[in-house]
Amino acid sequence: MIILTIIDKPIEEELKSSYIDYAMSVIVGRALPDVHDGLKPVQRRILFAMYDMGLTSDKNYQKSAKVVGEVLGKYHPHGDSAIYSTLVRLAQDFSLRYTLVDGQGNFGSIDGDDAAAMRYTEVRMQKISNYLLIDLEFNTVDMVPNFDNTLKEPSVLPTRVPNLLINGSTGIAVGMATNIPPHNLNEIIDALIFLIDNQEAKDLDLLKIVKGPDFPTGGIICGSKGIRDAYLTGKGSIVLRGRAKIDEKTNSIIITEIPYTVNKSDLIQEIAELIQNKVIDASSVYDYSNKEGIHIEVKLKKGAIPEVVLNNLYSYTKLQISYQIMNVCILNQMPKLMTLKEMLSEFIKFRERVITRRTKYLLEQTLKRLNIVEGLMIALNDIDNVIKILRYSGSVDEAEQILIKNYNLNQEQVDAILSMKLQLLIKIEHDKLQKEKQELINKKAEYESILNDRNKLLAIMKSEFLEIKQLFGDNRKTEIDESVQVDIVEEDLIEEEDVVIILTSSNYVKRIPLSEYRLQNRGGRGVLTSSQTDNEIVKRVITCSSKDYLLIFTSRGRVFWLKAYKIPELSRYSTGKHISNLIKLEENESPTNLLPISDLTEENYLFIATKRGLVKKVSSIHFSKPRVTGKLAIRLSENDSLADVLVVEDFVNVILSTKLGKAIRFDVNQIRETGRSSKGIRGIRLANGDELISVSKVSVGSQYLLTVTENGFGKRTSIDRYRLQARGGKGITSIITDQRNGNVVFAHTVSDKEQLLLLSSGGKAIRIPVNMIRKVKRIAKGVKLMKLDTDEKIVSCSVVQVEDDNGKHEKENQNSISGSPN
C-alpha cells in the first residue's frame, strides 16, 4: 500500500529550499576542508579508521582494501573508489607537501598513471599523522554519531599539525570552490608562534614570515603580488613556473621541476607538438626522469636562441601556469573566505580549546585517581578493622555502609577498597601509594594552574609547535623570485645588434650579424657570404637592427610584417630558410622587397615605386596593425613589379634612379596621398629598355647620391648636382652606363659617416666606408668598389647606418679597415 503525502507549497519554494539543503550538505559534508584540521570528511574518516585499526607509523603495513572496507562499512558509505582515490592522494608525495599515509606499492605517478588496485597496495599512517590524532582519547574533540548511529567518529581531529596550510586543499562544491596551496611547515610554525606572542600583529607582519606557498614539486613563483593578495584578502593569483636551465654543452634546455598539479606526460606532449609545428627552434624532447627526480631534455636546433625557446615553453606550455588561490574553508559549519591571519588565528583558538579540554580531562582523571588512592590509604592505615568489618558483614551493601560511616568514605573509595588486592598489604605497596598520592597532588596543581593561567597554556602550545617543527620541518622547495618578469616579450630576450638580411632568388632568407663583414678597402674581392649556385643568387640585401620590423613586399603588391630577429640567424655559408616558413604566401607569389622600419605607429608615409616608374604615397597608419595574411600595399599591372619602397615625411625630396643611369629629383608633396589599393602615378618617364631600380630621399645629413653599377664600379656625387624638377619628367644623367660600368643596380643618398655593403652573384660580400668612395661629377664613371671574377656581377647593395657619437664609430671604422682584401 502506497501512502502519498501532499505538500501544499509553491514548487519554486520547495525546489529552492531543497537545493539549498543539498548545496550545504555538499559544502560542509564533502567538498570543503575544516579550518581546524584541514581535512575533508572522507580524509578525516580514513585517518581515524587507520588509527582505530592500529595502523600507526610504527606498525606493519596492511592491505589498502582492508582500510577501504573499514571506512566504507563504518563511516563513509559513498563508494569504495572515492575512498581509495582519496587514500591514494594522501600517499602521493607530488600531491601533498607532507604525506599523511605511508604507502607501499604503486600509488600512481606524476605522469598521471593510475595507482594499482587496492588489493595490491598496502598502507599505514605516516609519523606526522600520529600528531593529527594525538590526544584523541582525552576527550579533546566532540564525537558524533556515524551514518547509521552505531558508532562515534570525531567531528574534527585534535591535530597539533597546522595541516590546512602545510598541505592545502582543493575542492569544488556547489556554487563555490576552494584552492588552498601547501606551505612550508617551518614558516607556518614560526608564524603561529609569532602570532601567539604578538596577538595584535598585522597581516603584513605575517607576510615577512610566511614567504609564500611551498609546493611539493618545487618550481618558481614569479613575484609576490599574487601571494600578498591571497594572504590579505583570501584570494589571489600567482604565476608558477617549472625550473629549467640552459645547458650550453649539450645545446639543450633541461627541466628539473614542473609546476604543481601539472601532468608531466601532458607537458612533454605539449613540447613535442610545438616542435612538430615549428613553433620553437628545437629538434626533440626526451624524458630521462627517474626515482631521483624529473629530468626533461629539450634539444635545440643549431643557431636557436635558448632564451627565446625557453620563453616560448613558458608561454605555450604548462611549464608556466597561473595558480588561483581561494582560501575557502569550513568554520562553525559554514563556508568562509579567510585571510592568512584568520586561518592562523583560528588554529590557535582551536589548539587552545583542545589543550583546555585535554587538561580538564586529565584533571578530572587525576582527581578520580587521587580520591581512590586516598581511600585506599585510609583503609590501609586501619587495615585490621577494615578486614574485620568485611569478615563479619552480612552483605556487600552492609560492608559499604559501615565503611562509609566509620571512615567518612565516598562510594568510589569504598568500591576501590572492596576490590583491593592483597598485595597492597605489603609495606612497599603502601609506600608506592604514598608516592603516587604526592604525584597526583602535583599534577592536580599543575592542571589547575594551566586552566587558571592562559599564559601557561600558550607556553604549552608553543612547545608543542616547536616539537612538530623539530620533527618534521624542512627547507623550502619552491623559490620565490621577485626579479622574474612574468609577461616576457620575446623581443626582450633578443640582443639588439646590427644585422644583414639576405633574400635569394629562390626565396631563401637568413640573418647574419653585420660584424661578420669586417670593413675593407674598396677594390677588394670581399668575403664569401653564401654557397651560391648558378641558379641562385642574392635578390635583396638590407642592413637593420635585429629589433626592427621588416615589411616584406611581394610580387602581388602585398606586404607582410616580421620582426628581424624572427629571420633565422645562420652562418655566412648557409642557404637560409625558405621564407614560406615565415609568411603565408599564395601560389606563384614571391617576396621582392624588404623594408626595415623601427616604429609602425609613427605616422608618416610609405613611398612605393614600381619598375615602370609609377609611384604612390600611402599613410603608414594603414600598416600599423600587422596581419598574418598580409595587406595589399599597391595594385600592380600584369607587366609591372615593385622596384623600391621607403619611408618618407612631408616636405622632403626624393630621387628616383633608373637602370640606364637616369635620375630625377622632385618634392614628395607633388604626389597626393592615396589608399592601399591604388596603382600610383607617373614618377619618371622611362626610355625604351629602361626601368626604375631604386628610390632614396634627400633628408637632413644627406650629402651625396651614391651610385653603384653591376660591374663593381661606383661614385659619390653631391646632392646639389641634382636640381629639383617636376615629377613625371625624363630626369638627368646620373652616371655613365657603358660596357665598363654596366647597368645601375643601386642608388642611395648617403653621408660620409655611413658604410656600403655589396653582394656579388658569386656569393661574395664586401663592406667599405662610404668616405673611401671618390667624390666626382654627376656624369663621371666612378671608381672600382669590388673586384669581380669573369661573369660575376653586383646583385645587391645596402647602406649601413653608423651613428656619430663624438667620432667613436669613425675611429673604430678606421681601425678595422684591412690593408689587404680578404
Side-chain angles (χ1 to χ4, degrees):
M1 180 178 179
I2 300 175
I3 300 176
L4 298 177
T5 302
I6 299 175
I7 302 174
D8 186 10
K9 186 178 183 181
I11 190 170
E12 60 270 17
E13 292 184 14
E14 180 63 26
L15 288 173
K16 181 178 179 181
S17 174
S18 298
Y19 186 76
I20 290 174
D21 291 342
Y22 162 74
M24 289 305 299
S25 174
V26 172
I27 290 169
V28 176
R30 297 180 68 178
L32 302 185
D34 191 281
V35 69
H36 302 124
D37 62 8
L39 298 172
K40 300 177 187 179
V42 63
Q43 296 171 329
R44 185 180 304 116
R45 288 163 180 166
I46 288 172
L47 292 176
F48 177 65
M50 294 177 73
Y51 172 80
D52 199 38
M53 295 169 65
L55 279 179
T56 51
S57 58
D58 55 343
K59 299 299 191 299
N60 292 331
Y61 295 92
Q62 290 194 22
K63 289 290 185 181
S64 300
K66 185 175 182 179
V67 175
V68 172
E70 187 81 1
V71 177
L72 179 64
K74 292 183 177 181
Y75 308 111
H76 197 77
H78 292 288
D80 57 350
S81 60
I83 297 171
Y84 184 55
S85 62
T86 303
L87 179 65
V88 166
R89 189 175 188 277
L90 293 176
Q92 293 175 335
D93 59 1
F94 53 87
S95 294
L96 267 66
R97 181 64 176 82
Y98 302 89
T99 56
L100 302 179
V101 170
D102 182 7
Q104 186 168 265
N106 175 17
F107 279 83
S109 72
I110 200 168
D111 287 315
D113 300 320
D114 292 333
M118 67 179 81
R119 61 183 178 275
Y120 298 121
T121 59
E122 297 178 334
V123 292
R124 65 181 178 186
M125 292 166 59
Q126 286 280 19
K127 186 177 180 180
I128 195 172
S129 298
N130 298 338
Y131 289 87
L132 269 74
L133 293 122
I134 195 169
D135 300 333
L136 186 61
E137 69 272 20
F138 297 147
N139 190 34
T140 48
V141 294
D142 294 335
M143 301 295 288
V144 296
N146 68 340
F147 65 91
D148 61 358
N149 205 23
T150 59
L151 296 169
K152 296 284 187 179
E153 61 175 310
S155 58
V156 64
L157 299 186
T159 174
R160 292 184 188 178
V161 179
N163 182 63
L164 177 68
L165 284 166
I166 67 168
N167 274 327
S169 185
T170 301
I172 300 174
V174 180
M176 64 180 64
T178 186
N179 201 31
I180 304 171
H183 291 78
N184 182 266
L185 178 63
N186 285 348
E187 293 180 6
I188 297 301
I189 294 294
D190 289 343
L192 287 168
I193 292 175
F194 176 81
L195 197 55
I196 291 171
D197 294 335
N198 304 272
Q199 298 179 22
E200 302 301 322
K202 305 295 183 184
D203 295 81
L204 293 176
D205 297 327
L206 295 171
L207 265 62
K208 298 176 183 177
I209 302 171
V210 182
K211 305 301 181 184
D214 188 22
F215 299 101
T217 54
I220 301 170
I221 298 174
C222 305
S224 59
K225 183 182 182 302
I227 298 172
R228 180 188 177 96
D229 292 341
Y231 289 169
L232 298 183
T233 67
K235 57 182 178 180
S237 178
I238 61 174
V239 175
L240 178 64
R241 60 172 50 170
R243 189 177 298 278
K245 64 179 180 180
I246 297 169
D247 190 338
E248 296 181 354
K249 292 183 179 179
T250 60
N251 192 32
S252 60
I253 294 173
I254 297 175
I255 301 168
T256 55
E257 295 175 3
I258 64 176
Y260 184 53
T261 71
V262 169
N263 184 304
K264 178 163 66 69
S265 292
D266 291 347
L267 174 62
I268 293 172
Q269 181 63 34
E270 287 180 334
I271 297 173
E273 289 176 0
L274 291 181
I275 295 173
Q276 184 177 1
N277 296 330
K278 299 181 180 180
V279 177
I280 59 176
D281 289 332
S283 58
S284 55
V285 56
Y286 300 98
D287 184 9
Y288 298 116
S289 305
N290 53 34
K291 292 181 179 180
E292 302 299 321
I294 290 174
H295 187 104
I296 302 171
E297 195 165 323
V298 182
K299 292 286 186 181
L300 303 179
K301 291 182 179 178
K302 186 177 180 181
I305 303 173
E307 291 82 2
V308 173
V309 176
L310 182 57
N311 181 53
N312 284 331
L313 291 178
Y314 288 140
S315 299
Y316 298 121
T317 73
K318 289 187 176 66
L319 189 59
Q320 176 175 298
I321 64 171
S322 178
Y323 186 89
Q324 304 298 321
I325 299 176
M326 187 72 68
N327 297 328
V328 178
C329 43
I330 300 299
L331 175 63
N332 299 327
Q333 297 298 302
M334 292 294 292
K336 184 179 180 183
L337 181 69
M338 305 184 75
T339 65
L340 174 64
K341 183 180 178 181
E342 287 175 332
M343 289 188 287
L344 293 171
S345 298
E346 285 300 328
F347 188 70
I348 291 173
K349 293 177 185 177
F350 171 68
R351 284 303 303 163
E352 188 172 355
R353 291 195 298 271
V354 168
I355 295 173
T356 299
R357 290 183 61 161
R358 180 184 67 194
T359 306
K360 287 181 177 179
Y361 178 85
L362 292 173
L363 176 59
E364 182 181 332
Q365 298 302 313
T366 298
L367 292 174
K368 287 182 179 180
R369 180 59 184 169
L370 181 59
N371 180 51
I372 291 171
V373 169
E374 288 177 342
L376 292 174
M377 292 185 68
I378 290 172
L380 289 175
N381 288 335
D382 194 17
I383 191 61
D384 293 334
N385 286 331
V386 169
I387 293 173
K388 186 177 180 181
I389 292 171
L390 295 179
R391 286 186 62 187
Y392 294 104
S393 295
S395 65
V396 174
D397 290 341
E398 183 182 349
E400 287 180 354
Q401 295 301 320
I402 295 172
L403 289 173
I404 291 173
K405 180 179 179 181
N406 291 353
Y407 297 101
N408 195 25
L409 301 174
N410 54 45
Q411 187 63 48
E412 289 77 14
Q413 291 173 325
V414 170
D415 291 341
I417 292 171
L418 292 176
S419 60
M420 181 177 63
K421 296 181 180 179
L422 291 177
Q423 69 182 32
L424 290 178
L425 299 177
I426 302 172
K427 184 177 186 302
I428 191 171
E429 294 296 332
H430 185 276
D431 293 340
K432 284 183 179 179
L433 282 177
Q434 184 63 42
K435 184 178 179 181
E436 183 183 359
K437 178 182 177 181
Q438 188 57 49
E439 290 176 352
L440 292 169
I441 291 172
N442 294 339
K443 285 183 179 180
K444 172 177 174 293
E446 179 186 352
Y447 296 146
E448 288 176 343
S449 66
I450 292 172
L451 295 173
N452 294 326
D453 188 347
R454 185 170 182 265
N455 290 330
K456 286 187 177 182
L457 187 148
L458 294 177
I460 292 172
M461 189 188 306
K462 287 166 58 177
S463 66
E464 291 176 348
F465 284 156
L466 291 172
E467 180 188 7
I468 296 297
K469 178 181 177 180
Q470 184 178 4
L471 287 172
F472 307 109
D474 58 3
N475 296 326
R476 284 189 65 88
K477 292 186 176 183
T478 302
E479 177 186 351
I480 300 172
D481 194 341
E482 295 285 358
S483 65
V484 175
Q485 183 181 348
V486 177
D487 299 323
I488 297 178
V489 180
E490 184 177 348
E491 186 173 335
D492 296 337
L493 302 173
I494 303 299
E495 180 182 358
E496 186 166 10
E497 61 177 343
D498 291 329
V499 295
V500 177
I501 307 294
I502 296 176
L503 176 68
T504 71
S505 58
S506 298
N507 298 328
Y508 284 88
V509 66
K510 64 180 177 180
R511 169 170 55 95
I512 305 170
L514 181 61
S515 57
E516 291 283 320
Y517 304 98
R518 59 187 176 85
L519 284 176
Q520 300 181 22
N521 288 319
R522 69 170 179 83
R525 290 186 175 275
V527 295
L528 192 64
T529 190
S530 63
S531 53
Q532 297 288 337
T533 66
D534 294 337
N535 299 323
E536 183 174 353
I537 59 175
V538 173
K539 181 162 59 174
R540 288 283 175 178
V541 59
I542 63 166
T543 57
C544 62
S545 165
S546 57
K547 294 190 176 183
D548 280 349
Y549 280 97
L550 285 185
L551 297 185
I552 304 173
F553 294 86
T554 73
S555 56
R556 295 187 178 178
R558 294 200 300 157
V559 60
F560 292 85
W561 290 256
L562 197 66
K563 278 288 189 176
Y565 63 79
K566 292 284 189 179
I567 305 292
E569 181 178 337
L570 301 170
S571 70
R572 288 189 286 127
Y573 314 106
S574 63
T575 303
K577 188 173 185 178
H578 201 276
I579 201 165
S580 61
N581 293 314
L582 304 174
I583 59 175
K584 296 182 179 180
L585 296 172
E586 295 178 355
E587 189 176 356
N588 299 324
E589 184 179 23
S590 61
T592 57
N593 295 79
L594 306 174
L595 175 65
I597 183 170
S598 59
D599 188 1
L600 285 172
T601 60
E602 183 179 353
E603 188 169 1
N604 39 42
Y605 301 98
L606 291 188
F607 190 89
I608 304 174
T610 73
K611 288 187 176 181
R612 294 187 62 189
L614 299 180
V615 295
K616 66 177 288 188
K617 184 175 68 172
V618 57
S619 174
S620 61
I621 205 70
H622 293 298
F623 307 97
S624 61
K625 295 180 180 179
R627 285 184 189 168
V628 176
T629 55
K631 279 185 177 181
L632 183 66
I634 186 173
R635 193 173 301 279
L636 296 171
S637 302
E638 290 185 6
N639 57 350
D640 199 3
S641 62
L642 219 59
D644 204 3
V645 184
L646 75 160
V647 178
V648 297
E649 303 84 22
D650 280 326
F651 311 111
V652 298
N653 302 156
V654 291
I655 297 180
L656 278 60
S657 301
T658 75
K659 178 175 71 173
L660 298 182
K662 294 291 184 179
I664 186 171
R665 176 184 178 185
F666 59 84
D667 193 324
V668 74
N669 286 313
Q670 293 184 27
I671 303 174
R672 63 181 179 84
E673 178 188 346
T674 59
R676 290 188 295 110
S677 59
S678 66
K679 290 185 177 181
I681 57 178
R682 186 182 302 279
I684 186 171
R685 188 178 300 276
L686 299 172
N688 291 334
D690 201 1
E691 65 181 35
L692 184 65
I693 53 99
S694 65
V695 181
S696 53
K697 63 180 179 180
V698 182
S699 55
V700 178
S702 300
Q703 299 171 296
Y704 311 98
L705 180 69
L706 172 64
T707 308
V708 180
T709 65
E710 60 184 351
N711 290 338
F713 292 89
K715 70 180 183 70
R716 284 189 296 158
T717 302
S718 174
I719 290 294
D720 297 335
R721 299 286 183 176
Y722 298 88
R723 68 182 187 275
L724 278 171
Q725 297 178 256
R727 68 159 185 85
K730 292 183 178 181
I732 57 178
T733 300
S734 178
I735 193 172
I736 302 297
T737 55
D738 55 10
Q739 186 174 0
R740 168 187 177 265
N741 280 357
N743 293 327
V744 176
V745 294
F746 179 76
H748 199 280
T749 52
V750 295
S751 68
D752 283 333
K753 301 295 183 182
E754 293 168 320
Q755 301 162 5
L756 179 66
L757 181 68
L758 297 91
L759 271 76
S760 74
S761 58
K764 293 193 286 288
I766 189 172
R767 176 183 167 200
I768 58 177
V770 165
N771 59 16
M772 295 190 67
I773 302 172
R774 186 180 302 171
K775 294 180 286 186
V776 294
K777 295 181 180 180
R778 180 167 52 79
I779 59 173
K781 290 186 176 182
V783 296
K784 182 173 287 294
L785 304 181
M786 185 177 185
K787 187 177 292 184
L788 302 173
D789 295 334
T790 305
D791 297 330
E792 190 177 13
K793 302 291 183 182
I794 299 294
V795 292
S796 191
C797 308
S798 179
V799 171
V800 180
Q801 302 293 331
V802 181
E803 294 182 4
D804 181 10
D805 41 359
N806 299 324
K808 177 182 176 182
H809 290 289
E810 181 181 7
K811 184 177 179 181
E812 289 176 354
N813 293 340
Q814 291 171 350
N815 291 339
S816 62
I817 295 175
S818 174
S820 59
N822 189 15

